[in-house]
Amino acid sequence: MGNHFELTAVADNEDWANKRIDAGIAEIQRIERLLTTFSDDSETNQVNQNAGIMPVIVSAETFALVERSLRISGLTQGAFDITYGSIEKRLWNFDKSMTALPDKATAKKMVRLINYRNVVLDREKSTIYLKEKGMRIGFGGIGKGYAAERARQVMKGLGVSSGVVNASGDLCAWGLQPNGTPWTVGIVNPNVKNEIFSWMSVTDMAVATSGNYEKFVMIDGKKYSHTIDPRTGLPVTGIKSVTIITTNAEIADAMATPVMIMGIYTGLDLINQMNNIEAIIIDDDDKMYTSKNIHIK
C-alpha cells in the first residue's frame, strides 16, 4: 500500500503478543493483495481492465468496500471519489520537474473520467462495472484505514485487549497503555515534519491526517498540495492539514481528504452533522479550526 505499518499489543507474554501481531500483519498483507493496482490479477485491476467493456465479479469484501466508498462520495458531494485513479499521472507528478500548473481547461479535461456515479454495482451478482473506457478505481483514500481497522479487529478477536495499529501516522488505538492510562496521540505540526503541536488522550478511537506537508510543489513561491480536487483537477489550497478523530480507522482515513477538498466551513459543517466524528483543521495562515466537541490540550 506504500505505507509503513507498526502494530503494538499490550500483554504479559511477549511470545503470545507477537503471534497476535503476526496475525494482524498477515491481515494487512491479505488486503494489500486484494486491493493493489500493482498486480494484474488483483480484483481492482480486473475491474479497471474491463472498464467500458463488462461487469466484473468480485468478492463480497471488495464489493462492500466499493459500496461504502460510493456512499462516502455521495455524503461529500464527490470530494471523495475512488475513481480518482483515472487522473493523468503525468499531469500531476509533484516532483522537481513540475514548474507550472496546468491551465484550468486542461485540468478539467483530465479529470473528466473521475465520476463515482459511473460505478455500477449489482449486489445480486456481486459485480462492479465502470461505465467509461479509461476509468480506474483505486483505494488510496480508504485502503490504508480499512487495513488498519481489519488488523485491529483480527487482533481483538484473538484476545488483544489493548493495542495500536499505526499506518504511517494514521492510527487506531484500543484499550489502555500498560500504566492504565489512555493512549496519547500527537497531532503533527504541518510546518515542521515530525514535530508535534498538540496531544490528545484517546482509547477505542482512530485518528487520520491529510496534509500538504509531505508531498507538494512550490511554484512561483506558492505551495501546492498533492491533494487534487476531483471536480476541478487543480490542487487544493487554503488548508495545510485536516485531522479526523472517530471510532473507525476506515472512516477516519476516508474523511480526511474530502474535508480538505470541501474547505474549512463546508467541511466542518458536514462533520458537525455526523455522529462520533470530529475534525481539526489548520489553514494556510496556521489558524486552527475544530468541530464542536474537540478539546485540544
Side-chain angles (χ1 to χ4, degrees):
M1 296 183 188
N3 294 285
H4 179 72
F5 284 78
E6 293 181 355
L7 285 70
T8 301
V10 177
D12 295 327
N13 185 296
E14 184 176 350
D15 184 60
W16 184 93
N18 282 332
K19 287 178 180 176
R20 272 69 186 165
I21 288 172
D22 287 344
I25 292 170
E27 179 68 358
I28 292 167
Q29 292 171 333
R30 184 189 68 80
I31 292 167
E32 164 74 16
R33 292 190 295 271
L34 185 72
L35 303 182
T36 184
T37 56
F38 296 104
S39 172
D40 288 341
D41 59 357
S42 74
E43 290 187 343
T44 307
N45 266 346
Q46 290 298 311
V47 170
N48 292 340
Q49 289 165 10
N50 286 282
I53 301 172
M54 66 178 187
V56 173
I57 298 173
V58 299
S59 63
E61 183 176 16
T62 299
F63 187 92
L65 181 59
V66 171
E67 195 172 42
R68 293 195 300 274
S69 296
L70 297 184
R71 283 202 295 268
I72 295 171
S73 294
L75 183 69
T76 60
Q77 300 167 29
F80 176 89
D81 197 322
I82 58 170
T83 66
Y84 75 91
S86 312
I87 198 168
E88 177 60 64
K89 293 295 189 294
R90 62 181 172 81
L91 185 69
W92 294 114
N93 49 22
F94 287 95
D95 60 22
K96 292 180 180 178
S97 68
M98 187 174 177
T99 57
L101 296 178
D103 63 81
K104 290 183 179 180
T106 300
K108 187 71 173 177
K109 182 180 178 182
M110 298 308 287
V111 296
R112 68 177 185 83
L113 291 174
I114 300 178
N115 187 347
Y116 71 94
R117 296 178 184 85
N118 286 335
V119 180
V120 181
L121 302 182
D122 187 324
R123 181 178 290 180
E124 190 173 309
K125 296 179 180 177
S126 193
T127 61
I128 300 174
Y129 175 55
L130 308 182
K131 284 185 179 180
E132 301 281 344
K133 281 195 173 181
M135 279 185 71
R136 291 176 58 83
I137 59 172
F139 298 98
I142 195 171
K144 177 172 64 171
Y146 176 59
E149 186 63 35
R150 283 297 311 146
R152 168 165 70 166
Q153 295 303 327
V154 164
M155 291 170 68
K156 287 180 71 174
L158 292 172
V160 179
S161 58
S162 298
V164 176
V165 178
N166 185 343
S168 296
D170 294 349
L171 57 84
C172 54
W174 68 101
L176 301 171
Q177 296 185 73
N179 64 5
T181 62
W183 296 97
T184 302
V185 175
I187 307 298
V188 174
N189 182 342
N191 297 312
V192 184
K193 191 175 180 181
N194 299 323
E195 183 177 296
I196 303 300
F197 84 88
S198 188
W199 302 90
M200 293 184 299
S201 295
V202 301
T203 185
D204 299 315
M205 298 294 282
V207 181
T209 298
S210 180
N212 67 3
Y213 50 86
E214 289 190 334
K215 195 173 183 182
F216 59 89
V217 290
M218 297 294 295
I219 298 175
D220 296 330
K222 186 173 181 180
K223 181 186 282 189
Y224 290 92
S225 164
H226 75 288
T227 303
I228 304 299
D229 186 334
R231 299 164 296 190
T232 66
L234 294 170
V236 171
T237 59
I239 293 178
K240 285 183 177 178
S241 72
V242 172
T243 297
I244 299 293
I245 305 101
T246 186
T247 55
N248 181 287
E250 177 187 320
I251 298 299
D253 187 21
M255 290 301 296
T257 297
V259 168
M260 194 168 187
I261 291 169
M262 294 171 79
I264 296 168
Y265 300 106
T266 303
L268 284 179
D269 183 59
L270 173 62
I271 295 297
N272 284 331
Q273 294 179 61
M274 299 171 67
N275 294 324
N276 302 315
I277 185 168
E278 304 296 338
I280 301 169
I281 300 175
I282 300 175
D283 71 9
D284 280 350
D285 297 317
D286 294 328
K287 184 175 180 181
M288 184 169 65
Y289 302 79
T290 67
S291 53
K292 58 188 178 183
N293 294 319
I294 284 287
H295 305 289
I296 295 290
K297 288 185 178 180

